[in-house]
Amino acid sequence: MEEKFVRYEASMPNGRGFHPGVFALANGLAKDGRLSAEDWASWRSANDHYDAAYADPSTVDRSVYDRAINPAAQSWFKRTAAHLVTGVEFYTDLLHRYGVGWRVLYSNDPGKVLYEDDVQIVVAPH
C-alpha cells in the first residue's frame, strides 16, 4: 500500500533542531542573495505558481505555524495532489545545484493534524 502523504525537507536539522521544508530552504537561498539572477527569476515564478495553486494554511488559521503554539509544525502534500508534487522537482534541482541537502519522506500518519485541505496537511509530528 502506498503512503498517503509526502514531505520534502532538509536532510540536516536547522539550529532549532527541525528539518525545514524545501520551499523554506529555497526561500532562504533567495533571501540570502545566493541565487543567480536566472535562478532567482525561476524561483520567483515557481513560488508565484504555488502561491496561486493552493492555500497557505496560515491565511486560514494563523496558529498553524505559530512557533509558540506549534513549534514543530510540518506541511505534507497529499499524494493525490500529483499536479503539485510533480513541481517540487524544480525546488529539489535548485537545492542540489546549490549544495543544499534534502530528503523525501512518506507516511500514512505523520502526526496530529493541525490543518487539512484537498492537497495538503499540516501536522505536529509524532
Side-chain angles (χ1 to χ4, degrees), residues 6 11 16 18 20 36 48 50 58 79 104:
V6 60
S11 58
R16 294 179 29 233
F18 300 116
S36 69
D48 290 344
Y50 273 96
S58 64
R79 300 279 302 269
V104 61

Side-chain angles (χ1 to χ4, degrees), residues 15 27 40 63 117:
N27 292 349
W40 190 93
S63 71
D117 63 29

Side-chain angles (χ1 to χ4, degrees), residues 78-98:
K78 293 182 177 180
R79 300 279 302 269
T80 56
H83 64 291
L84 298 176
V85 173
T86 301
V88 173
E89 185 176 345
F90 165 79
Y91 292 90
T92 58
D93 287 347
L94 182 76
L95 295 173
H96 178 74
R97 287 198 317 275
Y98 285 85

Side-chain angles (χ1 to χ4, degrees), residues 62-73:
R62 298 185 74 120
S63 71
V64 170
Y65 292 119
D66 184 319
R67 287 186 180 170
I69 300 169
N70 298 307

Side-chain angles (χ1 to χ4, degrees), residues 2-26:
E2 187 174 276
E3 288 87 1
K4 296 189 288 189
F5 306 106
V6 60
R7 175 173 168 78
Y8 298 83
E9 66 178 21
S11 58
M12 299 296 293
N14 63 14
R16 294 179 29 233
F18 300 116
H19 295 262
V22 294
F23 296 123
L25 294 171

Side-chain angles (χ1 to χ4, degrees), residues 1 4 9 14 17 32-33 52 54 59 61 67 71 75-77 80 82 90 102 104 109 113 116-117 125:
M1 176 170 57
K4 296 189 288 189
E9 66 178 21
N14 63 14
D32 293 345
Y54 68 100
T59 64
D61 179 353
R67 287 186 180 170
S75 299
W76 291 70
F77 278 120
T80 56
F90 165 79
W102 61 274
V104 61
D109 182 20
V113 176
E116 182 172 5
D117 63 29

